[in-house]
Coordinates of all heavy atoms in Angstrom, one line a residue:
N719 N 99.6 101.6 94.9 CA 98.5 102.4 94.5 C 98.4 102.4 92.9 O 98.1 103.4 92.3 CB 98.6 103.8 95.0 CG 98.8 103.9 96.5 OD1 98.1 103.2 97.2 ND2 99.8 104.7 96.9
C720 N 98.6 101.2 92.3 CA 98.5 101.1 90.9 C 97.2 100.5 90.5 O 96.5 99.8 91.2 CB 99.7 100.2 90.4 SG 101.3 101.0 90.6
D721 N 96.8 100.8 89.2 CA 95.6 100.2 88.6 C 95.9 99.3 87.5 O 96.4 99.8 86.4 CB 94.6 101.3 88.2 CG 93.3 100.8 87.8 OD1 93.1 99.6 87.6 OD2 92.4 101.7 87.6
L722 N 95.8 98.0 87.7 CA 96.1 97.0 86.6 C 94.8 96.3 86.2 O 94.9 95.1 85.8 CB 97.2 96.1 87.1 CG 98.6 96.6 87.2 CD1 99.4 95.8 88.1 CD2 99.2 96.7 85.8
S723 N 93.7 96.9 86.4 CA 92.4 96.3 86.1 C 92.3 95.8 84.7 O 92.7 96.5 83.7 CB 91.2 97.3 86.3 OG 91.2 97.6 87.7
N724 N 91.9 94.5 84.5 CA 91.8 93.9 83.2 C 93.1 93.8 82.4 O 93.0 93.5 81.2 CB 90.7 94.6 82.4 CG 89.3 94.5 83.0 OD1 88.9 93.5 83.5 ND2 88.6 95.6 83.0
A725 N 94.2 94.0 83.1 CA 95.5 93.8 82.4 C 95.7 92.3 82.3 O 95.2 91.4 83.1 CB 96.6 94.4 83.2
C726 N 96.5 91.9 81.3 CA 96.9 90.5 81.1 C 98.3 90.2 81.4 O 99.2 90.8 80.7 CB 96.5 90.1 79.6 SG 96.9 88.4 79.3
L727 N 98.6 89.4 82.4 CA 100.0 89.0 82.7 C 100.1 87.5 82.6 O 100.8 86.9 83.3 CB 100.4 89.5 84.1 CG 100.8 91.0 84.3 CD1 99.6 91.9 84.2 CD2 101.5 91.2 85.6
S728 N 99.3 86.9 81.7 CA 99.3 85.5 81.6 C 100.7 84.9 81.3 O 101.4 85.6 80.5 CB 98.3 85.1 80.5 OG 98.2 83.7 80.4
E729 N 101.0 83.8 81.9 CA 102.3 83.2 81.7 C 103.5 84.0 82.2 O 104.7 83.8 81.8 CB 102.6 82.8 80.2 CG 101.5 81.8 79.7 CD 101.8 81.4 78.3 OE1 102.8 80.7 78.1 OE2 101.0 81.8 77.4
A730 N 103.2 85.0 83.1 CA 104.3 85.8 83.6 C 105.1 85.0 84.7 O 104.6 84.0 85.2 CB 103.7 87.0 84.3
V731 N 106.4 85.4 84.9 CA 107.2 84.9 85.9 C 107.5 86.0 86.9 O 108.1 87.0 86.5 CB 108.5 84.3 85.4 CG1 109.4 83.8 86.6 CG2 108.3 83.2 84.4
I732 N 107.0 85.9 88.1 CA 107.0 87.0 89.1 C 107.8 86.5 90.4 O 107.3 85.5 91.0 CB 105.6 87.5 89.5 CG1 104.9 87.9 88.2 CG2 105.7 88.7 90.4 CD1 103.5 88.3 88.4
H733 N 108.9 87.1 90.7 CA 109.7 86.7 91.8 C 110.0 87.9 92.7 O 110.5 89.0 92.2 CB 111.0 86.1 91.3 CG 111.8 85.5 92.4 ND1 113.2 85.4 92.3 CD2 111.5 85.0 93.6 CE1 113.7 84.9 93.4 NE2 112.7 84.6 94.2
R734 N 109.7 87.8 94.0 CA 109.9 88.9 95.0 C 109.3 90.2 94.5 O 109.9 91.1 94.0 CB 111.4 89.2 95.2 CG 112.1 88.1 96.1 CD 113.4 88.6 96.6 NE 114.3 89.0 95.6 CZ 115.1 88.2 94.9 NH1 115.2 86.9 95.2 NH2 115.9 88.6 93.9
A735 N 107.9 90.2 94.6 CA 107.1 91.4 94.2 C 106.1 91.7 95.3 O 105.6 90.8 96.0 CB 106.5 91.1 92.9
E736 N 105.7 92.9 95.4 CA 104.6 93.4 96.3 C 103.6 94.2 95.5 O 104.0 95.1 94.7 CB 105.2 94.2 97.4 CG 106.1 93.5 98.4 CD 106.6 94.4 99.5 OE1 107.0 95.5 99.2 OE2 106.5 94.0 100.7
F737 N 102.4 93.9 95.7 CA 101.3 94.7 95.2 C 100.5 95.3 96.4 O 99.9 94.6 97.2 CB 100.3 93.9 94.4 CG 100.9 93.3 93.1 CD1 101.7 92.1 93.2 CD2 100.7 93.9 91.9 CE1 102.2 91.6 92.0 CE2 101.2 93.3 90.8 CZ 102.0 92.2 90.8
V738 N 100.6 96.6 96.6 CA 100.1 97.2 97.8 C 99.0 98.3 97.4 O 99.3 99.2 96.6 CB 101.2 98.0 98.6 CG1 100.6 98.6 99.9 CG2 102.3 97.0 99.0
N739 N 97.8 98.1 98.0 CA 96.7 99.0 97.7 C 96.5 99.2 96.2 O 96.3 100.3 95.7 CB 96.9 100.3 98.4 CG 95.6 101.2 98.4 OD1 94.5 100.6 98.5 ND2 95.8 102.5 98.3
C740 N 96.5 98.1 95.5 CA 96.4 98.1 94.0 C 95.0 97.7 93.6 O 94.3 96.9 94.2 CB 97.4 97.3 93.3 SG 99.1 97.9 93.5
K741 N 94.5 98.2 92.4 CA 93.3 97.8 91.8 C 93.6 96.8 90.8 O 94.2 97.1 89.8 CB 92.5 99.0 91.2 CG 91.1 98.7 90.8 CD 90.4 99.9 90.3 CE 89.0 99.6 89.9 NZ 88.2 100.8 89.5
L742 N 93.2 95.5 91.0 CA 93.5 94.4 90.2 C 92.2 93.7 89.7 O 92.2 92.5 89.5 CB 94.4 93.4 90.9 CG 95.6 94.0 91.6 CD1 96.3 92.9 92.4 CD2 96.6 94.6 90.5
V743 N 91.2 94.5 89.5 CA 89.9 93.9 89.1 C 90.0 93.3 87.7 O 90.4 93.9 86.8 CB 88.8 95.0 89.1 CG1 87.4 94.4 88.6 CG2 88.6 95.6 90.5
G744 N 89.6 92.0 87.7 CA 89.6 91.3 86.4 C 91.0 91.0 85.8 O 91.1 90.6 84.6
I745 N 92.1 91.2 86.6 CA 93.4 91.0 86.0 C 93.6 89.5 85.7 O 93.1 88.6 86.4 CB 94.5 91.4 87.1 CG1 95.9 91.4 86.4 CG2 94.5 90.5 88.3 CD1 97.0 92.0 87.3
N746 N 94.3 89.2 84.6 CA 94.5 87.8 84.1 C 95.9 87.4 84.5 O 96.9 87.9 83.8 CB 94.3 87.7 82.6 CG 94.5 86.3 82.1 OD1 94.8 85.4 82.9 ND2 94.2 86.1 80.8
M747 N 96.1 86.6 85.5 CA 97.4 86.1 85.9 C 97.4 84.6 85.8 O 98.0 83.9 86.6 CB 97.8 86.6 87.3 CG 97.8 88.1 87.4 SD 98.4 88.7 89.0 CE 100.2 88.3 88.9
S748 N 96.7 84.1 84.8 CA 96.6 82.6 84.6 C 98.0 82.1 84.1 O 98.7 82.8 83.4 CB 95.6 82.3 83.5 OG 95.9 82.9 82.3
E749 N 98.3 80.9 84.5 CA 99.5 80.2 84.2 C 100.8 81.0 84.5 O 101.8 80.8 83.9 CB 99.5 79.9 82.7 CG 98.3 79.0 82.2 CD 98.4 78.6 80.8 OE1 99.2 77.8 80.4 OE2 97.6 79.2 80.0
T750 N 100.7 81.8 85.6 CA 101.8 82.5 86.0 C 102.6 81.7 87.0 O 102.1 80.8 87.7 CB 101.5 83.8 86.7 OG1 100.6 83.6 87.8 CG2 100.8 84.8 85.7
T751 N 103.9 82.0 87.2 CA 104.7 81.4 88.2 C 105.0 82.5 89.2 O 105.6 83.6 88.9 CB 106.1 80.9 87.6 OG1 105.8 79.9 86.6 CG2 107.0 80.3 88.7
L752 N 104.6 82.3 90.4 CA 104.7 83.3 91.5 C 105.6 82.8 92.6 O 105.3 81.7 93.2 CB 103.4 83.8 92.0 CG 102.5 84.6 91.1 CD1 101.5 83.6 90.4 CD2 101.7 85.6 91.8
R753 N 106.6 83.5 93.0 CA 107.5 83.1 94.0 C 107.8 84.3 94.9 O 108.3 85.4 94.4 CB 108.9 82.6 93.5 CG 108.8 81.3 92.6 CD 108.4 80.1 93.5 NE 108.5 78.9 92.7 CZ 107.4 78.4 92.1 NH1 106.3 79.0 92.1 NH2 107.5 77.2 91.4
N754 N 107.5 84.2 96.2 CA 107.7 85.3 97.1 C 106.9 86.6 96.7 O 107.6 87.6 96.4 CB 109.1 85.6 97.4 CG 109.8 84.5 98.2 OD1 109.6 84.4 99.4 ND2 110.7 83.7 97.5
V755 N 105.6 86.5 96.5 CA 104.8 87.6 96.1 C 103.7 87.9 97.1 O 103.1 86.9 97.6 CB 104.1 87.2 94.7 CG1 103.3 88.4 94.3 CG2 105.2 86.9 93.7
S756 N 103.5 89.1 97.5 CA 102.5 89.5 98.4 C 101.5 90.5 97.8 O 101.9 91.4 97.1 CB 103.2 90.1 99.7 OG 103.9 91.3 99.4
F757 N 100.3 90.3 98.2 CA 99.2 91.2 97.8 C 98.6 91.8 99.1 O 98.1 91.0 99.9 CB 98.1 90.5 97.0 CG 98.6 89.9 95.7 CD1 99.2 88.6 95.7 CD2 98.5 90.5 94.5 CE1 99.7 88.0 94.5 CE2 98.9 90.0 93.3 CZ 99.5 88.7 93.3
K758 N 98.6 93.1 99.3 CA 98.2 93.7 100.5 C 97.1 94.8 100.2 O 97.4 95.7 99.4 CB 99.3 94.3 101.3 CG 100.4 93.3 101.7 CD 101.6 94.0 102.4 CE 102.6 93.0 102.8 NZ 103.8 93.7 103.5
E759 N 95.9 94.6 100.8 CA 94.9 95.6 100.6 C 94.6 95.9 99.2 O 94.4 97.1 98.8 CB 95.2 96.9 101.4 CG 95.4 96.6 102.9 CD 95.8 97.9 103.7 OE1 96.0 98.9 103.0 OE2 95.9 97.8 104.9
C760 N 94.5 94.9 98.4 CA 94.2 95.0 96.9 C 92.8 94.6 96.6 O 92.2 93.8 97.3 CB 95.2 94.2 96.1 SG 96.9 94.7 96.2
N761 N 92.2 95.3 95.6 CA 90.9 94.9 95.1 C 91.1 94.0 93.9 O 91.4 94.5 92.8 CB 90.1 96.1 94.7 CG 88.7 95.8 94.2 OD1 88.4 94.6 94.1 ND2 87.9 96.8 93.9
G762 N 91.0 92.7 94.1 CA 91.2 91.7 93.0 C 90.0 91.0 92.7 O 90.0 89.8 92.4
Q763 N 88.8 91.7 92.7 CA 87.6 91.0 92.3 C 87.7 90.5 90.9 O 88.2 91.1 90.0 CB 86.4 92.0 92.4 CG 86.1 92.5 93.8 CD 84.8 93.3 93.8 OE1 83.7 92.8 93.7 NE2 85.0 94.6 94.0
F764 N 87.2 89.3 90.7 CA 87.1 88.6 89.4 C 88.5 88.4 88.8 O 88.6 88.3 87.6 CB 86.2 89.4 88.5 CG 84.8 89.7 89.1 CD1 84.5 91.0 89.4 CD2 84.0 88.6 89.4 CE1 83.3 91.2 90.0 CE2 82.7 88.9 90.0 CZ 82.4 90.2 90.3
S765 N 89.5 88.4 89.6 CA 90.9 88.2 89.1 C 91.0 86.7 88.7 O 90.3 85.8 89.2 CB 91.9 88.5 90.2 OG 91.6 87.9 91.4
F766 N 91.9 86.4 87.8 CA 92.0 85.1 87.2 C 93.4 84.5 87.4 O 94.4 85.0 86.7 CB 91.7 85.2 85.7 CG 91.4 84.0 85.0 CD1 90.2 83.3 85.2 CD2 92.3 83.4 84.1 CE1 89.9 82.1 84.5 CE2 92.0 82.3 83.4 CZ 90.8 81.6 83.6
F767 N 93.6 83.5 88.3 CA 94.8 82.9 88.5 C 94.9 81.5 88.1 O 95.8 80.7 88.5 CB 95.1 83.0 90.0 CG 95.5 84.4 90.6 CD1 94.5 85.3 90.9 CD2 96.8 84.8 90.7 CE1 94.8 86.6 91.4 CE2 97.2 86.0 91.2 CZ 96.2 86.9 91.5
R768 N 93.9 81.0 87.4 CA 93.8 79.6 87.0 C 95.1 79.0 86.4 O 95.8 79.7 85.6 CB 92.7 79.4 86.1 CG 92.3 77.9 85.9 CD 91.2 77.7 84.9 NE 89.9 78.3 85.4 CZ 88.7 78.0 84.8 NH1 88.7 77.2 83.7 NH2 87.6 78.5 85.3

Side-chain angles (χ1 to χ4, degrees):
N719 307 313
C720 294
D721 188 349
L722 289 159
S723 296
N724 297 315
C726 180
L727 281 75
S728 182
E729 299 183 66
V731 176
I732 305 176
H733 186 207
R734 286 195 304 272
E736 290 181 314
F737 295 81
V738 181
N739 194 33
C740 291
K741 190 173 181 181
L742 308 175
V743 177
I745 192 171
N746 181 358
M747 299 184 77
S748 62
E749 300 183 74
T750 57
T751 299
L752 294 93
R753 297 290 186 271
N754 288 291
V755 180
S756 64
F757 299 84
K758 299 178 181 179
E759 300 178 355
C760 292
N761 183 356
Q763 295 186 73
F764 310 110
S765 52
F766 195 74
F767 287 84
R768 190 181 294 193

